[in-house]
């Protein structure tokens, strides 16, 4: 593998491992903290409110995860202006 | 009845048949589609060769035919196979319609949402036989999602099919990448909890992908088309749900997720590649590919790999395969952590 490819693969490896670790922590938060919460105890409609609230928390965690992914790729690959590099 | 170990071994051996079936079907589609003028241009080559399109139809046909035969000879769970076949078949139809009619970018994600409905419907008809709403999490156990899980199935199928559709810019990238993912997930399933139906389906997907890859690898003699890409992505999504490998599949699909996310974050809408005014890469006079200098061009995975300097198409494809190997290894570790 050429040097360019080795560098790109190494940086991507760093991104993937960071995101993998964050993902496991995120699912840990969901499993240990969010899932056992009883936000609304009403057995009928409350069940759906409970599910929606937890889904929103999961969505916020997912967006944060993607945001960190975005920052990492921009930092490693697009820090300098491409026009100057090529 | 065969003992479980033998059932699994038989499932893998039978699934190997999908390799020659996929090979023959791809060859068939190459000839038929060439004659009918269903042709695409390989824009990343200086000679701009004309390549038969929609040959990826061989993959959904293989992964529907083989499980049907497997059920007929008495192997596997018929409901699981039916759910899988309906998802893959409906995604293939959406892809074929898109290949012929060139729909607007927004229709593909919307229509592929419907492709997940067979799993939801069969899950309601046969509770606990199709999907399990308890999500298994690495290290931290599991949690039950009785309301959210079935609602998220159509979204999952739409995401996996469209994200696979988006990461096929170069010769063999999708077929090789999905082959690596399928192999990693097959190994993971084999070393953890091998249900014969799931082992068969993963092996079937792997060998049918390899059959297609033979003709699709660099330099390509066959293009998958949306019919192949969407159905393969839907197959991965369906297997994630049916095989309880949801989180593992997300990890295995890291390269696709990155590619789609950066494309959408830059373009901010669902659109077709051919409809883009600013392309992510450009072809140089010496045949190498370079990152686009247009600030409006999308940040695709290929462009990320080209930021440093231009490279040959075959080198970029090798790098993409290396990334799939990394994500596949992480997926395998995740599966072991889940247990």
């Amino acid at each position: 593998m050429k040097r360019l490819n080795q560098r790109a693969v190494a940086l991507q490896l760093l991104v993937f491992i960071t995101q993998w670790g964050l993902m496991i922590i995120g699912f840990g938060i969901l499993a240990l903290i969010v899932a056992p919460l009883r936000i609304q105890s009403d057995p009928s409609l409350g069940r759906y409110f409970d599910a929606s609230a937890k889904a929103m928390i999961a969505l916020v965690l997912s967006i944060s995860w993607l945001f960190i992914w975005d920052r990492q790729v921009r930092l490693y690959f697009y820090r300098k202006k491409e026009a100057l590099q090529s | 009845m065969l003992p479980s170990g033998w059932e699994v071994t038989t499932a893998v051996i039978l699934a190997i048949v999908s390799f020659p079936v996929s090979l023959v079907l791809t060859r068939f589609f190459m000839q038929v589609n060439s004659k009918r003028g269903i042709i695409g241009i390989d824009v990343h080559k200086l000679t701009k060769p004309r390549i038969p399109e929609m040959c990826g139809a061989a993959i959904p046909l293989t992964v529907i035919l083989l499980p049907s035969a497997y059920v007929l000879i008495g192997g596997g769970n018929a409901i699981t196979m039916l759910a899988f076949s309906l998802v893959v078949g409906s995604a293939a139809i959406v892809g074929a319609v898109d290949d012929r009619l060139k729909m607007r970018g927004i229709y593909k994600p919307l229509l592929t949402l419907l492709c997940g409905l067979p799993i939801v419907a069969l899950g309601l008809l046969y509770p606990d036989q199709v999907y399990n709403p308890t999500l298994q999490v690495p290290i931290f156990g599991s949690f039950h999602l009785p309301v959210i899980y079935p609602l998220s199935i159509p979204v999952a199928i739409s995401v996996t099919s469209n994200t696979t559709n988006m990461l096929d810019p170069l010769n063999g990238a999708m077929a090789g990448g999905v082959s690596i993912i399928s192999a990693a997930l097959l190994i993971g399933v084999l070393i953890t909890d091998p249900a014969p139906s799931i082992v068969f389906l993963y092996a079937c997907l792997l060998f049918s992908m390899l059959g297609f890859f033979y003709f699709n690898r660099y330099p390509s003699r066959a293009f998958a088309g949306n019919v192949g890409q969407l159905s393969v992505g839907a197959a991965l999504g369906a297997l994630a749900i049916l095989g309880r490998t949801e989180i593992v599949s997300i990890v295995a699909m890291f390269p696709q997720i990155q590619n789609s996310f950066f494309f959408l974050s830059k373009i901010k809408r669902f659109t077709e590649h051919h409809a883009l005014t600013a392309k992510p890469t450009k072809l140089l006079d010496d045949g190498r590919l370079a990152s686009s200098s247009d600030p409006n061009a999308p940040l695709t995975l290929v462009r990320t790999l080209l930021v440093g300097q231009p490279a040959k198409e075959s080198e970029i494809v090798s790098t993409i395969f290396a990334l799939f190997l990394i994500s596949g290894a992480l997926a395998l570790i995740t599966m072991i952590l889940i247990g």
Side-chain angles (χ1 to χ4, degrees):
Chain A
M1 199 179 281
K2 286 178 69 178
R3 239 174 81 182
L4 156 75
N5 292 354
Q6 284 175 355
R7 184 178 169 275
V9 170
L11 289 173
Q12 279 294 161
L13 177 65
L14 189 63
V15 174
F16 284 177
I17 289 178
T18 309
Q19 292 305 124
W20 178 69
L22 289 171
M23 194 181 88
I24 290 176
I25 293 168
F27 276 115
I29 293 169
L30 288 175
L32 300 179
I33 301 167
V34 180
L37 284 176
R38 284 287 163 265
I39 300 165
Q40 170 62 259
S41 54
D42 183 348
S44 54
L45 277 177
R47 182 169 171 249
Y48 294 98
F49 178 81
D50 205 66
S52 312
K54 287 173 185 174
M56 288 308 292
I57 296 170
L59 190 66
V60 170
L61 283 175
S62 307
I63 292 169
S64 313
W65 182 66
L66 286 171
F67 178 78
I68 296 168
W69 197 328
D70 181 84
R71 291 299 107 178
Q72 278 196 89
V73 172
R74 284 176 201 273
L75 179 71
Y76 301 148
F77 292 98
Y78 297 98
R79 192 169 23 182
K80 296 174 192 169
K81 289 205 169 182
E82 283 192 59
L84 295 173
Q85 290 187 345
S86 54
Chain B
M1 281 290 285
L2 290 165
S4 182
W6 279 107
E7 271 188 273
V8 170
T9 311
T10 313
V12 175
I13 292 168
L14 287 174
I16 294 172
V17 177
S18 46
F19 178 75
V21 172
S22 168
L23 208 64
V24 169
L25 283 173
T26 306
R27 185 87 187 125
F28 169 78
F29 281 113
M30 283 165 68
Q31 289 175 342
V32 170
N33 293 356
S34 288
K35 283 178 191 164
R36 289 188 173 183
I38 303 170
I39 299 286
I41 294 169
D42 193 342
V43 293
H44 295 128
K45 308 272 189 308
L46 290 171
T47 53
K48 301 280 184 277
R50 291 159 63 82
I51 311 290
E53 268 279 9
M54 290 180 74
C55 301
I59 304 163
L61 277 177
T62 309
V63 298
I64 290 172
L65 279 174
L66 266 286
S68 309
Y70 185 56
V71 169
L72 285 176
I73 61 167
N77 181 327
I79 298 165
T80 303
M81 300 296 185
L82 178 64
F84 177 79
S85 300
L86 287 173
V87 172
V88 174
S90 53
I93 291 169
V94 172
V97 170
D98 188 43
D99 277 323
R100 302 305 292 152
L101 302 181
K102 306 280 180 230
M103 294 186 290
R104 279 177 57 201
I106 187 68
Y107 289 113
K108 262 193 288 189
L110 289 179
L111 288 173
T112 44
L113 277 174
L114 302 175
C115 301
L117 293 181
I119 296 184
V120 181
L122 285 168
L124 291 172
L125 286 171
Y126 304 97
D128 300 329
Q129 287 194 55
V130 182
Y131 62 83
N132 186 334
T134 301
L135 194 67
Q136 293 174 302
V137 176
I139 304 168
F140 302 102
S142 61
F143 53 95
H144 196 54
L145 300 162
V147 179
I148 299 167
Y149 194 96
L151 291 175
S152 56
I153 289 172
V155 179
I157 300 294
S158 179
V159 169
T160 54
S161 51
N162 284 284
T163 197
T164 304
N165 179 239
M166 289 168 88
L167 189 53
D168 194 17
L170 303 174
N171 293 177
M174 184 276 290
V178 174
S179 300
I180 294 168
I181 291 178
S182 313
L185 295 175
L186 175 63
I187 295 166
V189 169
L190 283 170
I191 60 174
T192 52
D193 182 23
S197 299
I198 301 304
V199 169
F200 179 80
L201 290 175
Y202 268 124
C204 209
L205 180 62
L206 167 65
F207 290 113
S208 58
M209 288 308 300
L210 290 175
F212 174 72
F213 180 71
Y214 179 79
F215 293 110
N216 182 240
R217 72 189 196 279
Y218 179 87
S220 272
R221 286 180 283 163
F223 281 166
N226 292 305
V227 62
Q229 295 153 354
L230 288 179
S231 56
V232 166
L236 284 173
L239 276 172
I241 294 156
L242 300 170
R244 303 191 71 190
T245 54
E246 303 93 341
I247 295 174
V248 178
S249 299
I250 295 173
V251 177
M253 294 180 81
F254 269 5
Q256 281 119 321
I257 293 169
Q258 179 170 323
N259 184 63
S260 312
F261 169 63
F262 279 90
F263 183 91
L264 292 173
S265 72
K266 184 81 181 178
I267 301 300
K268 293 186 174 54
R269 67 179 193 278
F270 291 103
T271 187
E272 291 295 300
H273 271 276
H274 58 77
L276 289 173
T277 48
K279 305 289 181 194
T281 58
K282 57 187 176 190
L283 184 63
L284 302 178
D285 293 337
D286 59 3
R288 290 183 304 162
L289 290 170
S291 173
S292 169
S293 49
D294 190 330
N296 296 319
L299 305 178
T300 61
L301 187 68
V302 172
R303 191 179 172 204
T304 301
L305 300 176
L306 287 169
V307 165
Q309 64 179 70
K312 290 179 191 166
E313 185 180 356
S314 55
E315 291 168 356
I316 307 164
V317 174
S318 304
T319 311
I320 291 173
F321 289 166
L323 298 182
F324 274 108
L325 281 171
I326 292 167
S327 64
L330 287 175
L332 206 52
I333 297 168
T334 311
M335 202 168 233
I336 293 164
L337 288 175
I338 289 172

